[in-house]
Amino acid sequence: MPVTAAPTELIPDTGVLIGASRTSATSGGVHRHVYAANGQSTAEVPLGGAAEMDAAVRAAGAASDGWRNTPGNIRRDLLLRLAELVEQHATELIGLQTLENGCPRQFASKMPELAVDHLRYNAGWADKIGGEVVPTWPVRALDYTLDEPYGVVAVIIPWNGPLVSVAQMLAPALAAGNTIVLKPSELAPFTALRLGELALTAGFPPGVVNVVPGAAAGGAALVRHPGVDKVHFTGGGPTARKILADAAERLVPVGLELGGKSAHMIFGDADVRMAARMAMSGVIALSGQGCANGTRVLAHSSVYDEVVRTLTARLARVPVGDPADERTLMGPVVSAGACERILGVVDRARDEGQGRLVSGGERLGGDLGDGYFIAPTVFADVDPASELAQEEIFGPVLACTPFDTEQEALQLANGTRYGLGAYVHTTDLRTAHRVSRAVAAGSVWVNGVPGVLPSTPFGGVRQSGWGRIGGEAGVREFLRPKNVWIAT
Ligand code: NAD
């Protein structure tokens, strides 16, 4: 069956959103968006350059005082109203999400609900932000803190899950009283632009949320802008280095949510079939293009063969194909460039013997030949020092390696430069607690793959970044305490 045509009728106004105005006459060039499932061109996306970033930062700056002084209950209610609008427009947003990066409907259909949860959770913080009274000595005084917003926050996000990314970042930043210039990736700008429109409809004052899709040059102009008080970046390590270098010029703070090479650690006492099923999500979810996907499988040697066998057999039955088909579990990767890069990693791994290819490893043809589909790919017996085991591939490729002891499992799990997530599979509570403490990761999930929850802090250690999204920590990311000392 050929892939269903892209639902281009859903594409919103692609002009940049600055204050309450839209313009398509931008200085950053144009990106031709392509539907990843069939290579069809869908829209020309005007990109923000330095001029639009300047205008957006000025609009956010002009709105800043009014927004930070808006009472928390009103900020709360506006976020709740936006959540309601996301709910009402869920069908449209699901279609847009599928269109912009090829995410299968079955997966995309969970995104509005998750975005709504992030909005509502953070709305609940908006009327509770204050400060604390602090004891002082040796001089007795009244000392208290005021939790203040930064001001104008530049939020730069990738293309892999924009609807949830926008909700995850915007909700706490707005709850905390910041105004925003959001720069979505040029590859997937539609849901971000639509959410910007919905924020205006919800009643957010113009300038509080500005949305300017852009490429690297636009992003850099935004980071360098003197009116930006904080940068919050989600994306890859190489871009993070450039952003930090630009931010260093102005000594502006930067929150970083970066990539990972998270491991499933399957111990000998685990429910092996269940663990293997969960490990499959490392390749299936977003076609392996999720920052916290468990893309390494480390299994105790007593269960290793069974894990690899189960994974391979089940992945062979995963419905890969038309994102619009409700039965599809895995869609294409985001672009022709990504497809070529991922297959390059696979070819090198095969040629250099980094591991034993046990399934997949090729681009899918036939009806899917015009899209960027890669078969779910599993390598077994992967050399822990190899590219396959060390580098974030950001595609549907799993690397399996056996271990004999808990210490070895931890050495392998901690043996990359990343530290985003870790998945532990065991029926022994003592193992679960010991390993959770010892593993180098910002999040540990034991016997489950729940995704990124609104109420829990999510972020990385090491080169997976240092920002936190979710929970109270996620709101604190966008606040800084001012201390007030009053002699008594
Ligand atoms: P990327 O680093 O190429 O781009 C991310 C964003 O940065 C895009 O909007 C891009 O236009 C912008 N950008 C590029 N160059 C810039 C510059 N010099 N200055 C300012 N902005 C610039 O990443 P990507 O390919 O879009 O996304 C994939 C990466 O994102 C992966 O590494 C993935 O793990 C990571 N990611 C992390 C999280 C997390 O929460 N930790 C979530 C999703 C994705």
Side-chain angles (χ1 to χ4, degrees):
M1 283 256 295
V3 167
T4 311
T8 48
E9 68 284 357
L10 292 176
I11 295 175
D13 181 347
T14 53
V16 301
L17 173 62
I18 298 174
S21 310
R22 308 300 294 264
T23 179
S24 297
T26 57
S27 63
V30 168
H31 174 74
R32 194 167 55 83
H33 176 267
V34 167
Y35 184 39
N38 62 6
Q40 172 196 347
S41 292
T42 67
E44 304 260 292
V45 181
L47 300 178
E52 292 71 38
M53 294 303 170
D54 179 52
V57 173
R58 283 173 192 277
S64 179
D65 272 355
W67 184 243
R68 74 192 292 153
N69 292 317
T70 298
N73 61 320
I74 295 179
R75 294 206 301 268
R76 175 200 67 201
D77 290 349
L78 286 170
L79 282 164
L80 292 174
R81 175 74 187 124
L82 179 57
E84 217 172 273
L85 288 172
V86 170
E87 242 167 10
Q88 284 166 13
H89 290 82
T91 309
E92 173 197 349
L93 291 167
I94 291 165
L96 271 182
Q97 175 89 57
T98 294
L99 167 73
E100 64 187 348
N101 64 8
C103 173
R105 244 192 121 68
Q106 197 182 126
F107 204 84
S109 62
K110 301 187 175 75
M111 300 290 177
E113 200 181 315
L114 189 53
V116 164
D117 283 346
H118 280 279
L119 288 165
R120 291 203 171 124
Y121 173 81
N122 284 288
W125 276 107
D127 60 1
K128 296 172 190 67
I129 293 165
E132 56 179 351
V133 175
V134 186
T136 62
W137 70 91
V139 180
R140 286 176 65 173
L142 171 63
D143 192 287
Y144 62 91
T145 59
L146 295 169
D147 288 333
E148 296 189 336
Y150 281 84
V152 176
V153 177
V155 175
I156 300 176
I157 58 165
W159 44 263
N160 64 336
L163 178 56
V164 174
S165 287
V166 173
Q168 275 175 331
M169 311 293 157
L170 249 61
L174 292 171
N178 301 279
T179 56
I180 310 288
V181 178
L182 169 67
K183 194 208 79 61
S185 164
E186 72 276 31
L187 295 179
F190 303 135
T191 49
L193 284 165
R194 191 69 184 103
L195 279 177
E197 284 174 355
L198 292 178
L200 281 175
T201 310
F204 282 87
V208 170
V209 179
N210 307 276
V211 186
V212 187
L222 178 58
V223 173
R224 291 184 194 135
H225 197 291
V228 169
D229 300 301
K230 179 166 187 181
V231 177
H232 196 90
F233 171 71
T234 308
T239 310
R241 286 185 183 84
K242 291 182 193 151
I243 287 178
L244 285 179
D246 281 338
E249 291 294 316
R250 296 195 300 112
L251 294 176
V252 69
V254 181
L256 294 180
E257 312 274 345
L258 308 181
K261 191 73 187 177
S262 306
H264 283 276
M265 306 162 78
I266 305 177
F267 289 90
D269 61 356
D271 178 337
V272 174
R273 297 180 76 77
M274 178 72 85
R277 271 221 330 260
M278 290 178 184
M280 281 167 52
S281 64
V283 274
I284 295 172
L286 297 169
S287 304
Q289 304 168 113
C291 54
N293 283 31
T295 51
R296 289 184 296 154
V297 175
L298 311 174
H300 188 265
S301 44
S302 62
V303 296
Y304 177 74
D305 287 341
E306 189 184 349
V307 167
V308 173
R309 230 186 4 256
T310 310
L311 266 174
T312 314
R314 284 182 169 270
L315 281 173
R317 295 200 298 271
V318 164
V320 183
D322 187 355
D325 187 328
E326 300 282 354
R327 291 162 300 184
T328 298
L329 261 183
M330 202 180 114
V333 297
V334 72
S335 65
C339 190
E340 202 176 306
R341 181 186 57 73
I342 295 161
L343 290 171
V345 175
V346 169
D347 288 346
R348 271 197 301 284
R350 195 170 23 203
D351 296 348
E352 294 170 8
Q354 295 177 20
R356 182 166 54 86
L357 181 67
V358 288
S359 74
E362 78 276 332
R363 184 169 176 176
L364 299 178
D367 283 343
L368 302 181
D370 290 333
Y372 315 125
F373 293 88
I374 297 176
T377 299
V378 181
F379 280 90
D381 311 340
V382 171
D383 173 359
S386 65
E387 180 184 14
L388 261 187
Q390 291 291 323
E391 300 300 327
E392 183 185 44
I393 300 170
F394 227 52
V397 183
L398 268 188
C400 306
T401 304
F403 66 82
D404 285 317
T405 63
E406 185 177 307
Q407 195 190 8
E408 198 190 340
L410 280 165
Q411 268 167 8
L412 289 168
N414 294 344
T416 74
R417 62 179 186 278
Y418 296 107
L420 195 55
Y423 302 85
V424 180
H425 303 271
T426 176
T427 49
D428 185 338
L429 258 184
R430 290 164 304 182
T431 307
H433 288 300
R434 258 196 327 269
V435 172
S436 298
R437 276 177 180 271
V439 73
S443 297
V444 184
W445 294 284
V446 180
N447 296 330
V449 182
V452 176
L453 305 172
S455 59
T456 62
F458 172 74
V461 298
R462 299 172 163 179
Q463 291 192 21
S464 290
W466 54 64
R468 287 294 178 273
I469 283 303
E472 183 175 352
V475 182
R476 299 249 157 248
E477 190 72 31
F478 296 101
L479 288 168
R480 52 188 165 188
K482 174 191 277 175
N483 196 72
V484 180
W485 183 96
I486 301 176
T488 52

